Amino acid sequence: MNKIGRNDACHCGSGKKYKKCCMEKDRLAERQPHHIEPSLEEKEALLQAPSNMTEFMAVLGEMKWDNDSYRELAEELFPQIYNDYEHKEEEKLFVLYNALIIWNGFCLKESPRFRKPGGFKAALDQLFAKALEIPVTQNELAAKYEVAATTLSKCTGQLNEFMEQLAVTK
């Protein structure tokens, strides 16, 4: 489909030039985040966090993954995060489970592309630590996962944008 030019007839059929009719409205619509409604399964899943890591890993294995690299990242990362931080077990599992649901939903809806998983691993680690108010810097996480801080920022931005889309109400 060809992009409509400023001086072309407007796509709405008004007979006016696009720039005098719908151009500004279309630009505003492009800037607005699109609402992504979590499925009923996703909503129910958030309420049923596993009670231990064995259950957690079983749930992870049962989830739908469009790409093996997404599942492999989760299988490697989440037990590591669980072991890296000292916190109340129940809270850790709940936040970890929510991070897993976010990662799975993000992968299914956005199909992220990456050569090395370190950027998204660091971003998910940051999400986890922030949710539990564990002090950790972006530079520490970038070093931990051997990525540039800019890569971590980019991946964090993508996850945050996805979560904002989930939070937007119609």
Side-chain angles (χ1 to χ4, degrees):
M1 184 173 152
N2 293 335
K3 186 173 179 177
I4 190 168
R6 292 173 46 84
N7 291 315
D8 292 341
C10 188
H11 58 76
C12 74
S14 67
K16 296 179 184 177
K17 288 186 178 183
Y18 180 57
K19 67 183 178 185
K20 296 283 186 180
C21 193
C22 292
M23 185 173 81
E24 192 58 34
K25 181 178 76 173
D26 289 350
R27 283 186 179 169
L28 284 172
E30 285 177 12
R31 285 187 233 135
Q32 294 297 318
H34 300 288
H35 178 68
I36 299 173
E37 182 65 28
S39 70
L40 182 60
E41 289 173 344
E42 289 171 323
K43 288 177 183 177
E44 288 175 357
L46 285 171
L47 299 173
Q48 300 172 0
S51 60
N52 58 53
M53 274 310 282
T54 303
E55 285 181 20
F56 180 91
M57 294 306 288
V59 169
L60 190 158
E62 293 170 6
M63 290 177 141
K64 178 184 179 215
W65 299 95
D66 289 343
N67 185 316
D68 286 341
S69 64
Y70 304 151
R71 179 187 42 78
E72 290 165 2
L73 181 149
E75 288 174 340
E76 186 177 313
L77 176 67
F78 288 110
Q80 177 187 342
I81 290 175
Y82 179 81
N83 292 322
D84 283 351
Y85 296 102
E86 292 295 322
H87 210 279
K88 294 178 185 171
E89 297 302 306
E90 187 177 293
E91 289 179 13
K92 260 192 340 185
L93 276 167
F94 181 77
V95 171
L96 197 65
Y97 184 62
N98 280 277
L100 174 63
I101 298 294
I102 290 166
W103 175 243
N104 182 255
F106 176 72
C107 291
L108 291 173
K109 291 182 174 94
E110 302 294 328
S111 300
R113 288 186 283 163
F114 52 85
R115 281 179 279 150
K116 295 179 182 177
F120 282 109
K121 284 182 175 183
L124 289 162
D125 194 326
Q126 185 177 40
L127 177 71
F128 176 83
K130 185 177 179 182
L132 291 175
E133 298 177 348
I134 298 170
V136 62
T137 68
Q138 195 170 20
N139 287 335
E140 289 171 337
L141 289 172
K144 179 179 177 179
Y145 293 98
E146 300 177 351
V147 296
T150 54
T151 301
L152 169 53
S153 287
K154 178 183 162 204
C155 294
T156 299
Q158 290 175 6
L159 285 173
N160 285 336
E161 186 176 309
F162 173 74
M163 290 186 298
E164 286 170 12
Q165 289 174 350
L166 289 174
V168 172
T169 57
K170 285 187 176 181

